[in-house]
């Protein structure tokens, strides 16, 4: 979700009941129903939808027009990318090291060659700084992989408002 979306979301007013009913007819269902379905998919098998679902679920009680646009974009993404499976390798090494990656510039997985791949457990965490313009809270994202397979992931708002990026990164690491 780009910063243009965040500013459009911040400037948009909540929709009234008539506008919500019009949007429900357009998307063939209620906003909360679609977001709930996406949350279920994100929780079970699609970690690539986690952040967007978390952001859309913030506006369940009072959706705005940009929320419906983002919902439609996520549904299109899911339609055009239906098979993004979690693949498990055939050969598993039981004597694998445990790696934790949290230093600057290395919080996201990098593309690696076959020689660079290391088996074992790896934890990845990252956070943004005050991404939500309304509450000014940061978002923590992270996942754990074992033998290069994602086995656990999360994306959630931090409880407290942080004053600096360092504080958000430390909270993400401890989460």
């Amino acid at each position: 979700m780009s910063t243009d979306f965040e500013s459009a979301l911040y400037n948009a007013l909540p929709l009234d009941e008539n506008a919500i009913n019009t949007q429900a007819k357009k998307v063939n269902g209620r906003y909360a129903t679609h977001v709930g379905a996406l949350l279920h998919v994100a929780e079970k098998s699609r970690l690539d939808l986690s952040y967007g679902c978390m952001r859309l679920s913030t506006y369940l009680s009072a959706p705005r027009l940009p929320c419906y646009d983002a919902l439609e974009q996520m549904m299109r993404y899911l339609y055009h990318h239906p098979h993004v499976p979690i693949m498990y390798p055939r050969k598993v090494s039981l004597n694998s090291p445990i790696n934790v990656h949290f230093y600057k510039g290395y919080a996201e997985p990098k593309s690696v060659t076959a020689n660079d791949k290391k088996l074992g457990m790896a934890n990845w965490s990252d956070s943004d700084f005050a991404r939500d313009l309304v509450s000014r809270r940061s978002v923590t994202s992270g996942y754990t992989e074992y033998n290069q397979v994602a086995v656990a992931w999360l994306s959630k708002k931090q409880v407290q408002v942080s004053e600096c990026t360092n504080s958000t990164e430390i909270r993400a690491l401890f989460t």
Side-chain angles (χ1 to χ4, degrees):
M1 298 198 175
S2 67
T3 54
D4 295 336
F5 170 76
E6 295 292 339
S7 61
L9 190 59
Y10 179 74
N11 294 327
L13 295 174
L15 298 175
D16 62 353
E17 194 61 35
N18 291 333
I20 290 174
N21 290 334
T22 303
Q23 290 295 324
K25 289 178 184 175
K26 180 181 173 185
V27 297
N28 199 17
R30 303 292 291 178
Y31 178 77
T33 304
H34 288 302
V35 172
L38 284 174
L39 280 168
H40 178 74
V41 170
E43 177 188 344
K44 300 299 180 198
S45 63
R46 297 293 299 265
L47 69 114
D48 53 341
L49 300 176
S50 297
Y51 179 77
C53 290
M54 185 267 315
R55 292 292 289 133
L56 290 178
S57 64
T58 306
Y59 296 95
L60 285 176
S61 61
R64 294 158 163 76
L65 196 56
C67 294
Y68 281 98
D69 296 337
L71 178 66
E72 184 178 354
Q73 183 179 0
M74 286 183 68
M75 292 295 207
R76 284 183 182 168
Y77 172 79
L78 196 57
Y79 178 79
H80 290 289
H81 300 90
H83 303 293
V84 182
I86 297 175
M87 302 296 289
Y88 295 96
R90 290 183 183 198
K91 297 181 181 180
V92 178
S93 171
L94 299 177
N95 297 325
S96 303
I98 296 177
N99 301 316
V100 179
H101 309 280
F102 60 88
Y103 44 94
K104 184 172 176 68
Y106 202 63
E108 297 87 21
K110 307 291 184 188
S111 60
V112 293
T113 63
N115 296 335
D116 294 337
K117 291 183 179 181
K118 294 182 180 168
L119 299 177
M121 183 169 288
N123 295 316
W124 307 83
S125 67
D126 196 12
S127 67
D128 61 5
F129 179 62
R131 180 69 167 205
D132 187 2
L133 297 177
V134 176
S135 67
R136 303 303 296 169
R137 293 190 314 183
S138 302
V139 174
T140 294
S141 297
Y143 73 92
T144 301
E145 53 180 44
Y146 182 72
N147 291 337
Q148 300 167 349
V149 177
V151 293
W153 52 87
L154 71 99
S155 181
K156 68 177 195 170
K157 282 188 185 178
Q158 294 182 354
V159 178
Q160 297 175 339
V161 177
S162 299
E163 296 178 0
C164 62
T165 306
N166 190 25
S167 176
T168 63
E169 294 290 341
I170 290 172
R171 285 192 180 123
L173 175 64
F174 280 103
T175 299

